[in-house]
């Protein structure tokens, strides 16, 4: 009876506990590894197990202390070790608290159970026949617990009960564990299948989202296609509207349109095209075949545009005014426009165009051109007609052309003397005379007031007649011409130019104008004068230098060279006492340009002050280099234009710069030319006095060439005279010049002025000047103008101990 009671008790107790675990797994399958933690599961299992143990004790059925081992085993198998330890510890605490059980026995039993359960979990549970191994493991756990209890607590009442019912209890315990584990495993399998289904569901939902996205894209594409279709439909409607509009335009247009396909020889001619040539629309095929025959020979070349792509211009568009005969043979003017389509192989594919009736407009245009091409005063052809005629014959004629002017010299002055009415009558008479003399072999026009242009078409054939005509006309106008009871005295000029090909009309007229200017400047009257290339090149040269001069002033392209000024000491030695700053300009095409050229141009342009300031700035900079090298008594002379001397503002800036330079120990003097200031001595005297007040030395260059009087020379605030090189060159060959040089030296001494002889190039010149008492020199015999670095080298080396050593060095 005790065994049966024990079996029932064990079955009841273990069944409840195992059912608890089973129900936990069955009804919370999705929270096994997600929502619940091992602590929550363990606390829940432990609380229910203690509740059942209390319930069993209260019903006095039987002590179920061994239920803790069942929970430990099942929790380890079904959950994990952490989940099993919490309820097991709670049950142990309850047993120790209520029944005062043996602590050591409980600890040992627990440890054995954990070890055996973990070994089984890792090595036997997932192998074949795991349920048999689970039953054996349960029996081993029971036996190990009984043995440990017998060893540790031999007086435990539990042992007596086990002795009576050990086999039955262990068997029941093992069977229930195996059964429950089977159920739990099935539930776990079901749970895994459910999870797989959930994962499959999520995959399906993801695929569904992708399908929905794809559907949206398809829908979007459908909408786009629909929109494109609507757009195409709108374009189709517009195209139909445009076609109708173009049809109406073609019907209402004044132009006749055509379309031609060279490959198939197919023509399309609009109704208006046929009407313009007096054909009916039904005769369009006939007109397409014959309409090239309606053109005169001068326009036959247009037929080539319909047969070859080679004749078309690059833009493949032509527009011509041509004459076409209508059906009755009357020639009418049409504006012919055409456009070509050419493929990649340069084959003509299509020609499309139109013709427009401009016959009436052409007639009116000819009337306008008549009035446009005639001089209103004389009625003769004007310069525009002359130019157009020249262009025409230059393009079509292979014969030589000669163009010349018949021009009244000093026409403006004659207009002032005799009056407009008389001179216009003179011009009209001259035009009639030109017509009578040259009209048989030339074309003439009024170019401008007082000038007629004559175009000789066959120069070789009519050149002698041309020369005779010029001589006749020249002799006729050498005598006074009687007009309105006034005898007008005038002379004629005959500049001419021979066309040589590859020249424009503008070029020819410019060169004729240049030649006319040359005749007027040089008084070359009464004879034919050909175009002078030397004169033209000089003018071109001056023009290019003028343009480059502005660039050089903006970019400061001027170079400054320094020619040393030499002093002869009493012991026969020579030394450098100063330099003259000489400006130079290098042109990229013409090379080094003479100062005589660009200085004069700068004075004409009113820009000379900028060049003078550039030279002054560079000279002061060179003076700093001289002072830095220890040469403090070396002066620098800078040329100043007479134009600057007329401008007080320019003089003030020059004086300020020189005064500031002197504060740095730099000695700067200005140099002026006698020939330039001789005409303006009164105007520049005040500004020259300003230099004297600022203690700035003034050197008078080219002395003897300016024809200034001695009284003017005495009044000028100068400190140095420079004898011009023309006197130095001439004194060795002419005794009068030699005497004049000696007089100049004496004059300088009497006026207490320093004298520098320029242009020393030979030893004989130097010796003669020393004999006259001259001690200051400048010229190529000593040194040419030098760059800054070369001038510094000359200062360091010296000019030489005596003249003859220096002479041998130079040679």
């Amino acid at each position: 009876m005790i065994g049966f009671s024990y079996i029932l008790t064990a079955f009841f107790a273990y069944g409840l506990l195992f059912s608890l675990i089973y129900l936990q797994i069955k009804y919370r399958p999705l929270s096994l590894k997600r929502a619940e933690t091992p602590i929550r599961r363990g606390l829940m299992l432990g609380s229910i197990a203690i509740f059942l143990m209390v319930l069993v004790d209260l019903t006095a059925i039987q002590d179920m202390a061994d239920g803790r081992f069942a929970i430990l085993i099942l929790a380890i198998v079904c959950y994990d070790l952490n989940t099993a330890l919490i309820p097991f510890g709670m049950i142990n605490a309850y047993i120790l608290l209520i029944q005062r059980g043996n602590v050591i026995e409980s600890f040992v039993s627990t440890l054995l159970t954990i070890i055996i359960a973990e070994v089984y979990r890792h090595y036997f549970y997932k192998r074949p026949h795991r349920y048999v191994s689970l039953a054996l493991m349960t029996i081993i756990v029971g036996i190990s617990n009984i043995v440990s209890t017998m060893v540790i607590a031999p007086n435990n009442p539990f042992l007596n009960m086990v002795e009576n019912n050990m086999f039955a209890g262990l068997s029941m315990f093992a069977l229930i564990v195996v059964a429950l584990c089977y159920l739990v495993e099935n539930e776990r399998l079901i749970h895994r299948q459910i999870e797989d289904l959930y994962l499959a569901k999520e995959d399906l939902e993801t695929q569904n989202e992708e399908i929905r996205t794809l559907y949206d894209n398809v829908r979007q594409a459908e909408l786009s296609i629909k929109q494109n279709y609507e757009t195409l439909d709108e374009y189709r409607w517009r195209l139909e509207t445009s076609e109708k509009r173009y049809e109406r335009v073609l019907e209402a247009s004044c132009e006749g349109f055509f379309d031609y396909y060279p490959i198939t020889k197919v023509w399309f001619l609009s109704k208006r095209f046929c009407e313009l040539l007096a054909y009916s629309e039904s005769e369009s095929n006939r007109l397409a075949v014959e309409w090239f025959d309606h053109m005169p020979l001068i326009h036959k070349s247009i037929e080539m545009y319909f047969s070859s792509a080679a004749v078309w211009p690059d833009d493949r568009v032509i527009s011509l005014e041509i004459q076409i005969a209508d059906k009755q043979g009357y020639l009418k003017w049409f504006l012919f426009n055409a456009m070509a389509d050419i493929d990649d192989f340069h084959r003509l594919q299509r020609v499309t165009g139109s013709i427009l009736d401009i016959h009436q407009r052409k007639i009116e245009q000819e009337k306008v051109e008549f009035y446009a091409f005639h001089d209103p005063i004389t009625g003769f052809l004007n310069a525009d007609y002359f130019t157009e005629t020249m262009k025409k014959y230059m393009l079509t004629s292979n014969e030589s052309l000669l163009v010349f002017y018949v021009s009244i010299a000093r026409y403006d002055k004659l207009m002032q003397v005799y009056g407009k009415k008389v001179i216009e009558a003179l011009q009209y008479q001259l035009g009639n005379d030109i017509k009578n003399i040259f009209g048989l072999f030339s074309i003439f026009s009024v170019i401008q007031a007082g000038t007629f242009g004559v175009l000789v078409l066959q120069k070789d054939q009519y050149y002698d007649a041309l020369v005779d005509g010029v001589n006749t006309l020249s002799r006729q106008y050498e005598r006074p011409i009687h007009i309105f009871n006034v005898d007008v005295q005038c002379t004629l000029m005959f500049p001419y130019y021979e066309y040589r090909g590859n020249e424009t009309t503008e070029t020819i007229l410019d060169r004729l104008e240049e030649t006319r200017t040359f005749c007027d400047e040089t008084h070359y009257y009464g004879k034919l004068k050909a175009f002078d290339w030397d004169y033209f090149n000089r003018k071109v040269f001056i023009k290019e230098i003028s343009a480059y001069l502005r660039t050089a002033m903006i970019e400061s392209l001027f170079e400054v060279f320094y020619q040393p000024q030499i002093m002869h000491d009493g012991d026969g030695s020579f030394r450098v006492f100063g330099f003259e700053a000489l400006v130079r300009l290098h042109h990229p095409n013409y090379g080094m340009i003479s100062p005589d050229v660009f200085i004069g141009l700068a004075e004409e342009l009113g820009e000379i002050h900028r060049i003078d300031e550039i030279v002054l700035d560079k000279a002061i900079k060179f003076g700093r280099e001289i002072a830095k090298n220890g040469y403090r008594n070396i002066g620098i002379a800078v040329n100043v234009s007479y134009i600057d001397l007329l401008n007080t503002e320019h003089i003030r800036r020059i004086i300020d710069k020189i005064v500031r330079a002197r504060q740095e120990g730099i000695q700067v003097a200005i140099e002026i030319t006698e020939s330039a200031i001789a005409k303006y001595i009164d105007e520049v005297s005040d500004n020259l006095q300003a230099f004297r007040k600022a203690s700035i030395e003034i050197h008078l260059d080219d002395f003897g060439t300016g024809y200034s009087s001695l009284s003017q020379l005495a009044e000028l605030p100068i400190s140095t005279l420079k004898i011009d090189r023309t006197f130095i060159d001439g004194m060795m060959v002419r005794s009068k010049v030699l005497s004049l040089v000696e007089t100049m030296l004496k004059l300088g001494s009497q006026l207490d002025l320093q004298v520098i002889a320029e242009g020393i190039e030979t030893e004989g010149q130097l010796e003669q000047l020393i004999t006259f008492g001259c001690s200051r020199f400048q010229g190529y015999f000593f040194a040419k103008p030098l760059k800054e670095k070369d001038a510094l080298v000359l200062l360091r080396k010296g000019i030489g101990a005596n003249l003859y050593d220096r002479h041998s060095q130079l040679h």
Side-chain angles (χ1 to χ4, degrees), residues 47 73 92 105 115 147 165 214 245 264 310 317 337 394 471 532 539 571 578 584 604 644 678 695 708 734 804 807:
S47 301
I73 293 170
N92 276 338
E105 183 268 334
I115 293 171
V147 173
N165 303 286
L214 182 60
R245 185 182 299 115
T264 59
V317 175
N337 294 307
M394 286 164 61
N471 294 331
D532 191 335
K539 294 200 72 171
D571 58 357
R584 297 290 184 267
E604 291 178 7
D644 286 344
S695 300
S708 57
R734 288 183 292 173
Y804 301 102
H807 175 68

CSV table of all heavy atoms in Angstrom, one decimal, residues 47 73 92 105 115 147 165 214 245 264 310 317 337 394 471 532 539 571 578 584 604 644 678 695 708 734 804 807:
chain,number,residue,atom,x,y,z
A,47,SER,N,8.0,29.5,-8.3
A,47,SER,CA,6.8,30.0,-7.5
A,47,SER,C,5.7,28.9,-7.7
A,47,SER,O,5.1,28.5,-6.6
A,47,SER,CB,6.3,31.3,-8.0
A,47,SER,OG,7.4,32.3,-7.9
A,73,ILE,N,16.2,18.9,-13.8
A,73,ILE,CA,16.6,18.1,-15.1
A,73,ILE,C,15.8,18.6,-16.3
A,73,ILE,O,16.3,18.9,-17.3
A,73,ILE,CB,16.3,16.6,-14.8
A,73,ILE,CG1,17.3,16.1,-13.8
A,73,ILE,CG2,16.4,15.8,-16.1
A,73,ILE,CD1,16.9,14.7,-13.3
A,92,ASN,N,14.8,24.5,-2.7
A,92,ASN,CA,15.8,24.1,-1.6
A,92,ASN,C,15.6,25.0,-0.4
A,92,ASN,O,15.6,24.6,0.7
A,92,ASN,CB,17.2,24.2,-2.1
A,92,ASN,CG,17.6,22.9,-2.9
A,92,ASN,OD1,17.0,21.8,-2.6
A,92,ASN,ND2,18.6,23.0,-3.7
A,105,GLU,N,23.6,17.8,2.3
A,105,GLU,CA,23.0,16.8,1.4
A,105,GLU,C,22.3,17.5,0.3
A,105,GLU,O,22.4,17.0,-0.9
A,105,GLU,CB,22.0,16.0,2.3
A,105,GLU,CG,21.3,14.9,1.5
A,105,GLU,CD,20.0,15.4,0.9
A,105,GLU,OE1,19.4,16.3,1.4
A,105,GLU,OE2,19.6,14.8,-0.2
A,115,ILE,N,25.6,18.3,-12.8
A,115,ILE,CA,26.7,17.7,-13.6
A,115,ILE,C,26.1,16.7,-14.5
A,115,ILE,O,26.4,16.7,-15.7
A,115,ILE,CB,27.7,17.1,-12.7
A,115,ILE,CG1,28.4,18.3,-11.9
A,115,ILE,CG2,28.7,16.3,-13.5
A,115,ILE,CD1,29.4,17.8,-10.8
A,147,VAL,N,22.3,7.6,-2.9
A,147,VAL,CA,23.6,7.2,-2.3
A,147,VAL,C,24.1,8.4,-1.5
A,147,VAL,O,24.7,8.2,-0.4
A,147,VAL,CB,24.5,6.8,-3.4
A,147,VAL,CG1,25.9,6.6,-2.9
A,147,VAL,CG2,24.0,5.5,-4.1
A,165,ASN,N,10.1,1.5,-1.8
A,165,ASN,CA,9.5,1.8,-3.1
A,165,ASN,C,10.5,2.3,-4.1
A,165,ASN,O,10.2,3.1,-5.0
A,165,ASN,CB,8.4,2.8,-3.0
A,165,ASN,CG,7.3,2.3,-2.0
A,165,ASN,OD1,6.5,1.5,-2.3
A,165,ASN,ND2,7.3,2.9,-0.8
A,214,LEU,N,7.0,47.0,-57.6
A,214,LEU,CA,7.1,46.8,-59.0
A,214,LEU,C,5.8,47.2,-59.7
A,214,LEU,O,5.8,47.8,-60.7
A,214,LEU,CB,7.3,45.3,-59.3
A,214,LEU,CG,7.5,44.9,-60.7
A,214,LEU,CD1,8.7,45.6,-61.4
A,214,LEU,CD2,7.7,43.4,-60.8
A,245,ARG,N,-1.7,74.9,-92.0
A,245,ARG,CA,-1.3,76.3,-92.0
A,245,ARG,C,-0.3,76.5,-93.1
A,245,ARG,O,-0.4,77.5,-93.9
A,245,ARG,CB,-0.6,76.7,-90.7
A,245,ARG,CG,-0.2,78.1,-90.6
A,245,ARG,CD,0.5,78.4,-89.3
A,245,ARG,NE,-0.4,78.2,-88.1
A,245,ARG,CZ,-0.1,77.2,-87.2
A,245,ARG,NH1,0.9,76.5,-87.3
A,245,ARG,NH2,-1.0,77.0,-86.2
A,264,THR,N,16.0,60.1,-107.7
A,264,THR,CA,14.9,59.6,-108.5
A,264,THR,C,14.4,60.6,-109.6
A,264,THR,O,13.5,60.2,-110.3
A,264,THR,CB,13.7,59.4,-107.5
A,264,THR,OG1,13.4,60.7,-106.8
A,264,THR,CG2,14.1,58.4,-106.4
A,310,ALA,N,29.2,69.2,-105.3
A,310,ALA,CA,30.5,69.8,-105.2
A,310,ALA,C,30.5,71.3,-105.4
A,310,ALA,O,31.3,72.1,-104.8
A,310,ALA,CB,31.5,69.3,-106.3
A,317,VAL,N,23.6,76.7,-98.9
A,317,VAL,CA,22.5,77.6,-99.2
A,317,VAL,C,23.0,78.6,-100.2
A,317,VAL,O,24.1,79.1,-100.2
A,317,VAL,CB,22.1,78.3,-97.9
A,317,VAL,CG1,21.0,79.4,-98.2
A,317,VAL,CG2,21.6,77.4,-96.8
A,337,ASN,N,16.2,81.2,-104.3
A,337,ASN,CA,16.7,80.7,-103.0
A,337,ASN,C,16.7,79.2,-103.0
A,337,ASN,O,15.6,78.6,-103.4
A,337,ASN,CB,16.0,81.2,-101.8
A,337,ASN,CG,16.1,82.7,-101.6
A,337,ASN,OD1,17.2,83.2,-101.6
A,337,ASN,ND2,15.0,83.4,-101.5
A,394,MET,N,37.7,93.8,-111.9
A,394,MET,CA,38.7,93.1,-111.3
A,394,MET,C,38.4,91.6,-111.2
A,394,MET,O,39.3,90.7,-111.2
A,394,MET,CB,39.0,93.6,-109.8
A,394,MET,CG,39.8,94.9,-109.9
A,394,MET,SD,39.6,95.8,-108.3
A,394,MET,CE,40.4,94.7,-107.2
A,471,ASN,N,49.3,115.0,-120.7
A,471,ASN,CA,50.0,116.1,-121.1
A,471,ASN,C,49.1,117.2,-121.7
A,471,ASN,O,49.3,118.4,-121.3
A,471,ASN,CB,51.1,115.8,-122.1
A,471,ASN,CG,52.1,114.8,-121.6
A,471,ASN,OD1,52.4,114.9,-120.4
A,471,ASN,ND2,52.7,114.0,-122.4
A,532,ASP,N,54.5,105.3,-104.8
A,532,ASP,CA,55.8,105.2,-104.3
A,532,ASP,C,55.8,104.2,-103.1
A,532,ASP,O,55.3,104.6,-102.0
A,532,ASP,CB,56.3,106.6,-103.9
A,532,ASP,CG,57.8,106.6,-103.6
A,532,ASP,OD1,58.3,105.5,-103.3
A,532,ASP,OD2,58.4,107.6,-103.7
A,539,LYS,N,55.4,105.6,-94.4
A,539,LYS,CA,54.2,105.9,-93.7
A,539,LYS,C,53.7,104.8,-92.8
A,539,LYS,O,53.2,105.0,-91.7
A,539,LYS,CB,53.1,106.4,-94.6
A,539,LYS,CG,53.4,107.7,-95.4
A,539,LYS,CD,52.2,108.3,-95.9
A,539,LYS,CE,51.4,108.9,-94.9
A,539,LYS,NZ,50.3,109.8,-95.4
A,571,ASP,N,97.6,115.9,-65.7
A,571,ASP,CA,98.7,114.9,-65.8
A,571,ASP,C,98.6,114.0,-67.0
A,571,ASP,O,99.4,113.0,-67.1
A,571,ASP,CB,98.8,114.1,-64.5
A,571,ASP,CG,97.5,113.4,-64.2
A,571,ASP,OD1,96.6,113.5,-65.0
A,571,ASP,OD2,97.5,112.6,-63.2
A,578,GLY,N,80.9,111.7,-65.5
A,578,GLY,CA,79.5,111.7,-65.6
A,578,GLY,C,79.0,110.8,-66.8
A,578,GLY,O,79.8,110.2,-67.5
A,584,ARG,N,66.5,104.3,-75.6
A,584,ARG,CA,66.4,103.4,-76.8
A,584,ARG,C,65.1,102.6,-76.8
A,584,ARG,O,64.5,102.3,-75.7
A,584,ARG,CB,67.6,102.4,-76.8
A,584,ARG,CG,69.0,103.1,-76.9
A,584,ARG,CD,69.2,103.7,-78.3
A,584,ARG,NE,70.5,104.3,-78.4
A,584,ARG,CZ,70.8,105.5,-78.2
A,584,ARG,NH1,69.9,106.4,-77.8
A,584,ARG,NH2,72.0,106.0,-78.4
A,604,GLU,N,54.8,114.7,-81.3
A,604,GLU,CA,53.6,115.0,-82.1
A,604,GLU,C,52.3,114.5,-81.3
A,604,GLU,O,51.3,115.1,-81.4
A,604,GLU,CB,53.7,114.4,-83.4
A,604,GLU,CG,54.7,115.1,-84.3
A,604,GLU,CD,54.8,114.4,-85.7
A,604,GLU,OE1,54.0,113.5,-86.0
A,604,GLU,OE2,55.7,114.7,-86.5
A,644,ASP,N,58.1,119.6,-72.8
A,644,ASP,CA,58.0,119.6,-71.4
A,644,ASP,C,58.3,121.0,-70.8
A,644,ASP,O,57.7,121.4,-69.8
A,644,ASP,CB,58.9,118.6,-70.8
A,644,ASP,CG,58.4,117.1,-71.0
A,644,ASP,OD1,57.2,117.0,-71.3
A,644,ASP,OD2,59.2,116.2,-70.8
A,678,ALA,N,65.3,127.4,-79.4
A,678,ALA,CA,65.6,128.6,-80.1
A,678,ALA,C,64.3,129.3,-80.5
A,678,ALA,O,64.2,130.6,-80.4
A,678,ALA,CB,66.5,128.4,-81.3
A,695,SER,N,68.7,124.7,-58.0
A,695,SER,CA,70.1,124.4,-58.1
A,695,SER,C,70.3,123.1,-59.0
A,695,SER,O,71.2,122.2,-58.6
A,695,SER,CB,70.7,124.1,-56.7
A,695,SER,OG,70.6,125.3,-55.9
A,708,SER,N,70.8,130.5,-82.0
A,708,SER,CA,70.4,131.4,-81.0
A,708,SER,C,71.4,132.5,-80.9
A,708,SER,O,72.6,132.3,-81.1
A,708,SER,CB,70.3,130.7,-79.6
A,708,SER,OG,71.5,130.1,-79.3
A,734,ARG,N,88.0,121.1,-92.6
A,734,ARG,CA,87.8,122.5,-93.0
A,734,ARG,C,88.3,123.5,-92.0
A,734,ARG,O,88.0,123.3,-90.8
A,734,ARG,CB,86.3,122.8,-93.3
A,734,ARG,CG,85.8,122.1,-94.5
A,734,ARG,CD,84.3,122.4,-94.8
A,734,ARG,NE,83.5,121.8,-93.7
A,734,ARG,CZ,82.1,122.1,-93.6
A,734,ARG,NH1,81.6,122.9,-94.5
A,734,ARG,NH2,81.4,121.5,-92.6
A,804,TYR,N,96.8,107.0,-75.1
A,804,TYR,CA,97.3,106.1,-76.0
A,804,TYR,C,97.1,104.6,-75.5
A,804,TYR,O,96.8,103.7,-76.3
A,804,TYR,CB,98.8,106.3,-76.3
A,804,TYR,CG,99.0,107.7,-76.9
A,804,TYR,CD1,99.5,108.7,-76.1
A,804,TYR,CD2,98.6,108.0,-78.2
A,804,TYR,CE1,99.6,110.0,-76.6
A,804,TYR,CE2,98.8,109.3,-78.7
A,804,TYR,CZ,99.3,110.3,-77.9
A,804,TYR,OH,99.4,111.5,-78.4
A,807,HIS,N,93.6,104.1,-76.4
A,807,HIS,CA,93.4,103.9,-77.8
A,807,HIS,C,93.8,102.5,-78.2
A,807,HIS,O,93.1,101.9,-79.0
A,807,HIS,CB,94.3,104.9,-78.5
A,807,HIS,CG,94.3,104.7,-80.0
A,807,HIS,ND1,93.2,105.0,-80.8
A,807,HIS,CD2,95.3,104.3,-80.9
A,807,HIS,CE1,93.5,104.7,-82.1
A,807,HIS,NE2,94.8,104.3,-82.2
